[in-house]
Amino acid sequence: MTTVPTPVAELRAALEMVDALIQVRLEERRGGPCGRRLSIDDDTEGLPDVRRFAGTGPLAEIVTAAGLSAAEAVVLTAAVAPCVDERFDALYGMLTDRPGITALTGEVARTLVARSFRGRLDAAVMLSPRGLLQTRGLLSLDPPGDLSGVLRPDPQLLAWILGLPPKAGVATSDFPARPLTTVHTLEDVVLPASARARVDDLTGRIAHRDVVVEQWGFGAHHDNAAGLIALFHGPPGTGKTMTAAAIARTVGLPAYLVDLSALVSKYIGETEKSLAKVFDRAARERCVLVFDEADAVFGARTEIDDAHDRYANQEVSYLLSRIEQHPGIVILTTNLVANIDTAFQRRIHVLVEFPEPGPGERVRLWSTVAPSQLPVDGGVDLVALAHRYPLTGAQIREATLEAAYLAAADGRVVTAEHLLTGVRRQYEKSGKSVPA
């Protein structure tokens, strides 16, 4: 019976390969600076076959998903190695003639993966900002662009490889997404029957994706079969983002909310780099990506009046291509579906409309938004409130919360007047008149 290696065993084997390669490079350096010669013709760098990094653990998934070469897989493993065994830092210092080096620098990495002149030139390109390791956000060079700087693995990537609990993320310009969580379940989602059926279909499609794509062979039979794109559209406050978070919670996958304001850069080309980092991380960590107000990025392309318009259209084209190739789950939300690029709409697998709730949905919302322990006066008529005031789910929640604070300061029981005050304030915030 064949035993499948565990992720720990796979990582140990990869570190042993790097250790063995270091010993080979040290042996090649025994002759000293004058005894070392770079071959012009030899294109054999003595690296392990990239297939030796195959497996089911995090490191193997990264190598496969990112399409890393043997040299790139070695460098990535070498960057992780000191976090497991500090002995590697001392070994790296032995692979350079620079005094005081005790870390994996770009120069040490170049020496590690290349012994020929051609190989060293290729390694310099591989370790540059244009190389896959940096454009994919796997490693960074500190200081940037200087091969004498230290190569550092992405902190979240390192935690995933080592099996450490991930740190709570925040949206930054480098990674414009933050974890999306919710206390709600799909039972809390209030929608018309047709929309709710589409949400349930989407949830089932996510839950059974591995069966269809992997076990039943659709992934091997069709391109991009693993990707799943859903679009939620409807007025603000109708529960689009909450539903996306509840779906992720139901299927047991982490979700990230992409900060579009941080994603769309004023610098040409930076939007593509930021988005690539988001999608690469989502693919390797099997996250659900949620884009709020998706038309800000995936909107219709403009007429070309100047160079900025031309580059903006190129960015949209890149985004459309990148999302279509993504092997994971993407949920987009928008208030105006007509603003979504028509070419992109054809790529959407599941479309769900979130309309403003009707009287029946509003009755249920008024009945469920308040916690069971909230003290409510027996004379409050929630059905009358639902029929009289056409509020969204978010507005009903905020009106109830407002009433709770008013009650906490006035008698400790929520009355009809408290709720009406909460309703009036929702209309004031939206700039509308309260129905007579």
Side-chain angles (χ1 to χ4, degrees), residues 358-360 362-367 378-391 396 416 419-420 423 427 434-436:
R362 294 199 296 271
V363 169
R364 184 180 171 192
L365 286 166
W366 276 110
S367 302
V380 170
D381 189 348
L382 296 178
V383 175
L385 286 173
H387 283 80
R388 184 175 179 183
Y389 302 107
L391 299 174
I396 291 172
L419 288 169
L420 288 171
V423 168
Y427 277 95
V434 182

Side-chain angles (χ1 to χ4, degrees), residues 234-317:
T238 50
K240 300 183 293 293
T241 304
M242 186 197 85
T243 301
I247 289 174
R249 179 183 177 185
T250 298
V251 298
L253 294 177
Y256 278 97
L257 182 66
V258 179
D259 183 352
L260 291 174
S261 62
L263 176 63
V264 181
S265 174
K266 64 181 179 181
Y267 299 106
I268 293 171
E270 292 302 311
T271 296
E272 289 96 327
K273 292 180 182 178
S274 297
L275 191 77
K277 290 180 180 180
V278 170
F279 276 106
D280 288 340
R281 180 166 166 185
R284 67 175 180 256
E285 297 183 13
R286 296 174 64 86
C287 299
V288 177
L289 286 180
V290 181
F291 289 81
D292 259 347
E293 300 180 5
D295 48 298
V297 170
F298 300 99
R301 280 162 276 198
T302 62
E303 295 295 329
I304 297 176
D305 293 328
D306 54 27
H308 183 273
D309 289 339
R310 182 168 63 254
Y311 282 113
N313 285 347
Q314 289 177 1
E315 287 186 341
V316 171
S317 297

Side-chain angles (χ1 to χ4, degrees), residues 138-155:
L138 305 178
L139 298 179
S140 62
L141 191 58
D142 184 19
D146 185 353
L147 286 184
S148 66
V150 177
L151 283 167
R152 305 185 191 279
D154 174 78

Side-chain angles (χ1 to χ4, degrees), residues 81-341:
C83 301
V84 178
D85 189 342
E86 65 276 8
R87 179 176 62 90
F88 281 94
D89 276 336
L91 292 173
Y92 297 152
M94 300 168 65
L95 288 176
T96 179
D97 295 321
R98 291 185 184 272
I101 297 299
T102 57
L104 181 70
T105 65
E107 293 172 338
V108 170
R110 181 178 59 189
T111 298
L112 185 61
V113 300
R115 60 187 177 192
S116 72
F117 184 77
R118 177 74 260 172
R120 289 176 71 85
L121 293 179
D122 292 341
V125 175
M126 176 188 72
L127 297 168
S128 74
R130 302 190 308 274
L132 200 60
L133 292 171
Q134 291 201 58
T135 58
R136 292 277 187 168
L138 305 178
L139 298 179
S140 62
L141 191 58
D142 184 19
D146 185 353
L147 286 184
S148 66
V150 177
L151 283 167
R152 305 185 191 279
D154 174 78
Q156 295 285 356
L157 172 67
L158 178 64
W160 188 54
I161 291 176
L162 299 183
L164 302 174
K167 296 179 180 179
V170 294
T172 65
S173 59
D174 187 58
F175 185 74
R178 59 178 176 81
L180 177 64
T181 60
T182 183
V183 298
H184 297 290
T185 68
L186 287 177
E187 294 299 317
D188 300 317
V189 175
V190 179
L191 287 170
S194 59
R196 181 52 196 260
R198 295 299 289 148
V199 169
D200 291 340
D201 288 344
L202 173 60
T203 306
R205 185 163 177 167
I206 296 172
H208 302 300
R209 197 167 56 114
D210 288 345
V211 173
V212 174
V213 175
E214 302 296 336
Q215 296 183 27
W216 292 355
F218 273 80
H221 198 65
H222 295 283
D223 293 331
N224 304 324
L228 178 56
I229 307 170
L231 177 65
F232 295 171
H233 67 97
T238 50
K240 300 183 293 293
T241 304
M242 186 197 85
T243 301
I247 289 174
R249 179 183 177 185
T250 298
V251 298
L253 294 177
Y256 278 97
L257 182 66
V258 179
D259 183 352
L260 291 174
S261 62
L263 176 63
V264 181
S265 174
K266 64 181 179 181
Y267 299 106
I268 293 171
E270 292 302 311
T271 296
E272 289 96 327
K273 292 180 182 178
S274 297
L275 191 77
K277 290 180 180 180
V278 170
F279 276 106
D280 288 340
R281 180 166 166 185
R284 67 175 180 256
E285 297 183 13
R286 296 174 64 86
C287 299
V288 177
L289 286 180
V290 181
F291 289 81
D292 259 347
E293 300 180 5
D295 48 298
V297 170
F298 300 99
R301 280 162 276 198
T302 62
E303 295 295 329
I304 297 176
D305 293 328
D306 54 27
H308 183 273
D309 289 339
R310 182 168 63 254
Y311 282 113
N313 285 347
Q314 289 177 1
E315 287 186 341
V316 171
S317 297
Y318 171 82
L319 300 179
L320 297 179
S321 173
R322 191 66 175 82
I323 195 173
E324 186 177 21
Q325 296 170 7
H326 181 58
I329 301 151
V330 176
I331 300 176
L332 305 107
T333 74
T334 180
N335 299 334
L336 297 170
V337 69
N339 288 352
I340 298 293
D341 186 273

Side-chain angles (χ1 to χ4, degrees), residues 364-431:
R364 184 180 171 192
L365 286 166
W366 276 110
S367 302
T368 58
V369 294
S372 59
Q373 57 267 43
L374 181 69
V376 180
D377 183 82
V380 170
D381 189 348
L382 296 178
V383 175
L385 286 173
H387 283 80
R388 184 175 179 183
Y389 302 107
L391 299 174
T392 66
Q395 289 174 319
I396 291 172
R397 179 196 62 199
E398 290 302 313
T400 304
L401 184 61
E402 183 84 35
Y405 276 109
L406 292 172
D410 177 28
R412 301 285 176 169
V413 175
V414 175
T415 65
E417 186 56 38
H418 293 144
L419 288 169
L420 288 171
T421 300
V423 168
R424 284 194 294 270
R425 290 180 180 176
Q426 296 309 304
Y427 277 95
E428 290 171 2
K429 286 194 292 185
S430 62

